[in-house]
Amino acid sequence: MKQLNQQDITLILNQLKQVQQELIELKRSTRLDLLTMEEICEMTKFSRKHIYFMMNEGRFPRQIKIGGSSRWKRTDYESWLEAQVAQTAA
């Protein structure tokens, strides 16, 4: 059996990291990806209050309630964002 040197080990670890990243991406694309209020605020740079205000006016996607927590489908958020960009570009 061949002894592995440091270069071989580094190469194998890098390949494993790449496979792990590909698996994460595959998982992400095949499941419902939900965003928290914190993530929504971070991405939009809007306050919680402003997000709820826009939701009440029908200008932001409605949340999904899970227990006492609010979550948004990433696809709903991305569709809303694309519409905002298209509206601004028009």
Side-chain angles (χ1 to χ4, degrees), residues 31-64:
R31 68 177 166 85
L32 183 59
D33 199 10
L34 300 176
L35 301 169
T36 63
M37 174 60 89
E38 184 177 281
E39 291 170 318
I40 291 290
C41 291
E42 170 88 15
M43 290 187 292
T44 61
K45 305 300 184 208
F46 295 149
S47 68
R48 297 170 67 94
K49 184 177 177 179
H50 190 67
I51 295 294
Y52 283 119
F53 175 78
M54 290 186 353
M55 283 173 36
N56 288 334
E57 289 192 333
R59 298 186 304 131
F60 196 81
R62 300 299 298 178
Q63 79 273 38
I64 299 168

Side-chain angles (χ1 to χ4, degrees), residues 1-9 11-12:
M1 179 178 252
K2 178 184 172 188
Q3 285 283 338
L4 294 176
N5 62 32
Q6 187 63 39
Q7 187 177 4
D8 292 335
I9 293 170
L11 179 63
I12 291 168

Side-chain angles (χ1 to χ4, degrees), residues 3 7 10 16 22 37 48 52 58 62 66 68 80-81 87 89:
Q3 285 283 338
Q7 187 177 4
T10 302
L16 284 173
E22 290 171 5
M37 174 60 89
R48 297 170 67 94
Y52 283 119
R62 300 299 298 178
I66 302 174
W80 171 82
L81 184 59
Q87 192 176 47

Side-chain angles (χ1 to χ4, degrees), residues 7-21:
Q7 187 177 4
D8 292 335
I9 293 170
T10 302
L11 179 63
I12 291 168
L13 287 174
N14 286 336
Q15 289 172 338
L16 284 173
K17 285 179 187 177
Q18 183 178 354
V19 169
Q20 181 182 31
Q21 190 61 38

